Amino acid sequence: MSWDYWRLLTVVSLTGFVGLLFDQMILFMFIASLLYALWLQRAWNQLWSWLQNPKKNQPPTAEGMIDDICRQIESVRLQNKSRKKKLADYLKQFQAATAALPDAVVVLGSQGQVAWANTAAKELLGISWPRDSHVRVHNLIRDPVFQKLLTAPITKKKAKIVISPVNSDSYLEMKIVSYMGNGRLLIARDMSQTVKLQKMRRDFVANVSHELRTPLTVLYGYLELFDQDSPADMWRSALPVMRQQTQRMNLMLSDLLVLSQLETGEKKLQHEPVDISVLLATIAEDAKQIKEYKQHQIKLELDSDDWLLADPGELRSAISNLVFNAVKYTSEQSIIVLRWTVANNGAYIEVRDNGMGIAEHHLERLTERFYRVDSGRSQESGGTGLGLAIVKHILKRHDAKLNISSEIGVGSQFHCFFPVAKVIKKSKALK
């Protein structure tokens, strides 16, 4: 600021001295002041143009107050630019973080329009940003439960289970939360697995109750009917039935205990070389001893002499379950094939039969607890409905998978696939 005063004083003084020489001091001082004012105006105009478009125009170079203003403006501009860059980086980090969330997040405007949405929103809700930007969310999700959730007071917005608008087999937990005053966030989480597990738990409790109620009803009926004075003939005819029902309950509880131990990992898994050729031959002989065996043709197809690293007891239990089921649910003289194959990507134990087959819609649920294709036949054969569930969990403990395929009138195939790391050469196993 002082520089401007000294400059003005210097200009006026010099022009006054020159004007004094020509006896025109006032005129010269007036002209000098006018030229100085025009020069300042030009500098101010240049400053204004620079403020309007700093990228295109250059700032004024006049020393003094204008230069100080330019320096101050440039300093503030650089600070704002740095602050804006930081905010942009924060926004990118926030969007990247929310985009990585498995839950759908949709930022809603004051009228319920989509202001922003992450990647999961497209997968779970079908809302894609920026495609659906400024579209009201109630036009995108028309489920009545969600519509009520959207219009409910913000203090009463509890989470609701809604069917996904993208996939009718998926269930979403939706809730709306407030943020920054009037702002609203729609959050949706995939609850399909939880809903499925809850249903399985309800089915499990119902099935256990039903399965135990039947033999208990039989036993209770006989006990109500008999007393100490009942004739021996009545007891003689009832005892086999009572024993059968008791064995059925005992078998069911034993299977439930085994299944629980497999699921919780209470039983330590043994890793020993198992000769699959000997194991399959032993299981084939065991199958001939069960009461349902009726001249079935059990064949062995051993394509390899390699052994398998596994828990001998659990592996025998799993394969026995598959073979005994094949004997129980196929007709007399049916063909049952036990095959052992080693390939580049792993090893297979296959149990194949030429029975009546299983309808395709049953296959996905066969390994569920108590699930039966034909409950009548299962009860007649004494099955608990837990065999394939046990097989699945045993294979899972061995990093193996159970694949089931079947065709009505042709037969069924149960493939137990083991990773190649579980295969061991016979020569190495015998050392």
Side-chain angles (χ1 to χ4, degrees), residues 283-298 323-324 326-334 336:
I283 293 174
E285 290 301 317
D286 291 343
K288 295 177 182 178
Q289 307 306 316
I290 64 176
K291 64 180 182 179
E292 290 83 2
Y293 177 77
K294 297 178 180 178
Q295 302 303 315
H296 289 77
Q297 301 179 47
I298 303 179
V323 176
F324 293 173
V327 172
K328 291 177 182 179
Y329 300 116
T330 55
S331 58
E332 184 178 351
Q333 296 185 348
S334 295
I336 300 172

Side-chain angles (χ1 to χ4, degrees), residues 51-67:
L51 291 175
Q52 294 298 312
N53 195 346
K55 292 183 178 180
K56 183 178 180 181
N57 300 319
Q58 294 295 324
T61 56
E63 295 290 339
M65 183 176 62
I66 294 179
D67 189 60

Side-chain angles (χ1 to χ4, degrees), residues 117-183:
N118 66 349
T119 305
K122 182 178 180 180
E123 299 172 358
L124 299 179
L125 302 172
I127 297 176
S128 178
W129 187 85
R131 184 195 67 188
D132 297 324
S133 180
H134 299 100
V135 179
R136 293 192 177 186
V137 71
H138 70 262
N139 291 327
L140 300 172
I141 306 175
R142 298 183 176 275
D143 188 282
V145 177
F146 173 73
Q147 298 286 342
K148 291 179 66 176
L149 175 67
L150 189 63
T151 56
I154 196 69
T155 56
K156 297 183 179 180
K157 290 185 183 295
K158 298 181 180 180
K160 299 290 185 181
I161 299 297
V162 178
I163 298 176
S164 170
V166 178
N167 182 1
S168 59
D169 294 329
S170 298
Y171 293 88
L172 307 177
E173 181 188 66
M174 291 189 183
K175 60 181 176 180
I176 296 177
V177 297
S178 61
Y179 80 105
M180 295 180 63
N182 295 326

Side-chain angles (χ1 to χ4, degrees), residues 42 86 138 205 251 267 288 376-377 421-422 425:
R42 176 180 174 276
K86 288 182 180 180
H138 70 262
V205 172
L251 180 60
K267 182 177 179 296
K288 295 177 182 178
R377 290 185 60 194
K422 296 289 184 180
K425 292 294 181 181

Side-chain angles (χ1 to χ4, degrees), residues 71 87 116-117 121 145 187 212 245-246 263 275 285 296 300 330 335 340-341 349 367 392 395 428:
R71 291 176 186 274
L87 290 175
W116 182 82
V145 177
I187 302 174
L212 290 177
Q245 297 300 323
T246 304
E263 290 179 336
D275 188 346
E285 290 301 317
H296 289 77
L300 299 180
T330 55
I335 299 174
W340 166 239
T341 304
I349 296 178
T367 56
K392 182 183 74 172
L395 294 181
K428 186 177 179 180

Side-chain angles (χ1 to χ4, degrees), residues 403-418:
N403 296 320
I404 306 173
S405 58
S406 185
E407 186 176 348
I408 298 295
V410 177
S412 303
Q413 300 84 37
F414 295 81
H415 294 83
C416 304
F417 171 75
F418 296 86

